[in-house]
Amino acid sequence: MVWTTGVRASSLTEQIPAERDRQGRLHVDANLKVIGQDDIFATGDVAYAATDDIGNFALMTCQHAISLGRHAGNNVAAQILGVAPTPYSQPKYVTCLDLGAWGAVYTEGWDRQVKLVKEEGKSLKTQINTQWIYPPAADRTSALAAADPMIPVVA
Ligand SMILES: Cc1cc2nc3c(=O)[nH]c(=O)nc-3n(C[C@H](O)[C@H](O)[C@H](O)COP(=O)(O)OP(=O)(O)OC[C@H]3O[C@@H](n4cnc5c(N)ncnc54)[C@H](O)[C@@H]3O)c2cc1C
């Protein structure tokens, strides 16, 4: 199956008077605060966030949502506590595309350099789908440890 419908941010973003991109995502600053708003942060699929300082922006993907979520949670707490926020940055970009029985293709960089194919790519994809994208165990210590914005999603 080839899915070409694309994705869109939640319509809840329309309740916030701020600039949005073509997919409905809210423009945010480096700390993930909605531009023009003092007390609203956006993250994951609803944030239009720069991943680096050379013009790349987060996509509506798990790899970005995980890191964006960690940073936004951290920065909301930082604002409440009156301590410095941690600017969001995620310069490393990868893709891993499952192609069924043939295997998978893993690429690195925004120019998508192929690094792994077939069984090697599939092994990585299986690891992503069965381990990486799942939330931590539902206990305070594991949840707080997993929320650290300094943990790289892709090392
Ligand atoms: C079919 C499909 C396949 C995908 N495959 C991939 C893939 O292979 N690789 C990849 O990287 N990404 C993939 N994605 C994208 C990935 O799932 C998203 O980028 C990621 O889940 C975004 O995380 P998020 O936390 O921002 O939002 P979500 O995971 O969408 O979480 C938002 C949460 O908010 C809840 N919510 C919504 N409205 C309200 C409300 N009013 N009150 C309270 N709660 C509310 C929702 O129920 C949901 O639990 C896929 C997405 C889809 C739909």
Side-chain angles (χ1 to χ4, degrees):
M1 183 178 82
V2 177
W3 181 31
T4 62
T5 53
V7 283
R8 236 193 119 62
S10 165
S11 57
L12 284 175
T13 55
E14 293 163 20
Q15 295 183 13
I16 297 168
E19 191 175 353
R20 293 184 293 275
D21 76 346
R22 284 195 319 160
Q23 293 166 306
R25 300 181 299 174
L26 294 156
H27 286 230
V28 292
D29 66 17
N31 298 321
L32 306 184
K33 191 183 282 192
V34 174
I35 292 173
Q37 296 288 336
D38 286 334
D39 299 312
I40 302 177
F41 291 74
T43 193
D45 277 2
V46 299
Y48 180 65
T51 55
D52 54 39
D53 54 10
I54 56 169
N56 295 306
F57 284 79
L59 301 175
M60 294 166 81
T61 65
C62 297
Q63 76 183 288
H64 290 125
I66 291 169
S67 184
L68 283 163
R70 287 175 178 146
H71 281 82
N74 181 87
N75 290 348
V76 168
Q79 176 156 321
I80 292 167
L81 297 171
V83 300
T86 303
Y88 168 70
S89 170
Q90 197 172 2
K92 184 161 184 182
Y93 172 63
V94 303
T95 67
C96 197
L97 179 65
D98 197 328
L99 294 170
W102 180 86
V105 180
Y106 167 72
T107 72
E108 289 185 355
W110 289 93
D111 55 351
R112 296 182 176 81
Q113 300 161 41
V114 175
K115 298 289 180 182
L116 300 174
V117 295
K118 296 189 175 180
E119 292 82 10
E120 279 187 307
K122 190 79 162 188
S123 167
L124 178 61
K125 185 68 179 178
T126 303
Q127 201 179 333
I128 292 168
N129 284 350
T130 57
Q131 297 172 33
W132 294 13
I133 63 171
Y134 287 93
D139 71 78
R140 181 179 288 260
T141 308
S142 316
L144 285 174
D148 184 345
M150 291 297 110
I151 301 171
V153 175
V154 184

